[in-house]
Amino acid sequence: MKQFGTFLFSIYGLAIFFVLMFALLPFFIYSFFRGRIHGGNFLYRVCRFWADAFYFLTGISHSNIYEFNPDQNSQYIFLSNHISFLDIPEIMLVTKGFDVRVLAKAEMGKLPIFGFIYRQGTVMVDRANAHARRKSVYELKNFLQRGISIFICPEGTFNKTHQPLKDFYDGAFRIAIETGRPLLPVLFLDTYDRLSYSSVFSLTPGRSRAVILEPIETATYTLKDLPVLKQKVYAVMDEKLRAYSASWIKTLS
């Protein structure tokens, strides 16, 4: 009965998701005509309203835990773990007050209607294509130069290992070193419990916390130090996910 109830609630959640998407479609279309910068910034404001409304209507209570309170007049390279489809609205809510662009998986852009909105507001990357990776890095650095923060999930895909994190890609750390921008780690603690990566029919109401950790400065690093920087960030996020008892972590006996 519990599984059936979760399935029905997930159907309700999907309906809410699409009703909100179509209700906000005129605002999305308006943003497309305002250009890459101003239109993109407006698009993210609409998406934050979308995320707030979706969470409210599905009984998900979001809160940010600030181990560090980021300066909204600064640019950061936000990094987070990636464990659920709900990481997308979490990104919207954790970056309120910031102009930001998200590095996104190219396959999500193939979805009907939503994929079109997704492509307009993100920097798309096909990790299997070297040219696409280089292009995405160029675009992300360009946004930083224009005073816009960027958000990257360095795991690249869902972490299905039941360890705190899976291996990181190099891209975020290369950009940080080449631009000198600080890395700002963020932990998504509860999205796995609210909507598992295993099924879109696993939605449940409840809390959803994001933890903003201390930034890691990168100005003194060179590209030779990239593995050291990557390992430093990985170790910090791994330690904190364990400290906050992230539910997907299973200790091997």
Side-chain angles (χ1 to χ4, degrees):
M1 286 297 294
K2 182 179 179 180
Q3 288 183 337
F4 183 66
T6 299
F7 175 79
L8 289 180
F9 188 77
S10 300
I11 295 295
Y12 163 76
L14 284 170
I16 291 296
F17 177 87
F18 286 109
V19 166
L20 287 171
M21 181 177 69
F22 283 107
L24 295 172
L25 195 56
F27 297 96
F28 291 131
I29 293 172
Y30 170 74
S31 74
F32 302 157
F33 292 99
R34 294 196 60 192
R36 183 77 167 152
I37 302 300
H38 296 296
N41 293 341
F42 180 79
L43 178 65
Y44 273 77
R45 289 194 285 273
V46 178
C47 286
R48 288 178 181 122
F49 175 82
W50 187 1
D52 273 327
F54 178 78
Y55 272 20
F56 175 76
L57 292 170
T58 55
I60 298 175
S61 176
H62 173 82
S63 62
N64 291 330
I65 300 170
Y66 292 99
E67 294 195 3
F68 170 80
N69 195 1
D71 179 4
Q72 295 183 354
N73 294 315
S74 298
Q75 288 77 54
Y76 298 96
I77 300 174
F78 289 87
L79 302 176
S80 78
N81 57 306
H82 191 21
I83 198 73
S84 167
F85 292 107
L86 282 184
D87 293 344
I88 297 172
E90 285 287 291
I91 290 171
M92 296 299 106
L93 300 180
V94 84
T95 59
K96 279 187 176 181
F98 287 89
D99 291 327
V100 68
R101 295 298 185 274
V102 177
L103 181 66
K105 293 178 286 190
E107 54 265 33
M108 292 291 288
K110 298 175 183 178
L111 297 173
I113 303 178
F114 173 76
F116 179 69
I117 300 169
Y118 194 78
R119 291 195 302 272
Q120 297 300 314
T122 62
V123 175
M124 307 293 290
V125 60
D126 178 358
R127 295 190 186 276
N129 185 308
H131 173 73
R133 293 198 304 271
R134 287 193 296 270
K135 183 174 182 292
S136 68
V137 167
Y138 173 81
E139 288 187 62
L140 291 168
K141 290 167 68 174
N142 186 51
F143 280 121
L144 285 170
Q145 291 166 1
R146 290 172 174 263
I148 297 172
S149 295
I150 62 176
F151 201 113
I152 300 174
C153 298
E155 295 169 294
T157 57
F158 291 139
N159 172 21
K160 301 179 182 181
T161 67
H162 289 290
Q163 294 303 300
L165 299 162
K166 65 190 292 289
D167 291 341
F168 285 174
Y169 284 92
D170 289 348
F173 308 97
R174 178 177 294 277
I175 293 170
I177 291 169
E178 290 178 344
T179 63
R181 298 303 199 283
L183 293 161
L184 189 60
V186 177
L187 310 178
F188 296 152
L189 298 178
D190 305 301
T191 52
Y192 173 77
D193 297 315
R194 300 286 71 80
L195 182 65
S196 171
Y197 54 73
S198 61
S199 173
V200 296
F201 298 107
S202 60
L203 182 68
T204 59
R207 70 180 181 179
S208 191
R209 298 164 296 163
V211 184
I212 295 85
L213 302 178
E214 292 281 342
I216 296 171
E217 298 296 334
T218 64
T220 60
Y221 287 86
T222 68
L223 287 177
K224 291 182 180 179
D225 303 317
L226 191 153
V228 175
L229 178 61
K230 183 168 69 169
Q231 180 56 37
K232 179 178 181 179
V233 176
Y234 187 99
V236 168
M237 294 177 68
D238 181 283
E239 177 187 359
K240 288 292 185 175
L241 284 167
R242 294 179 191 274
Y244 280 97
S245 301
S247 64
W248 65 87
I249 300 173
K250 293 182 180 178
T251 303
L252 297 178
S253 57

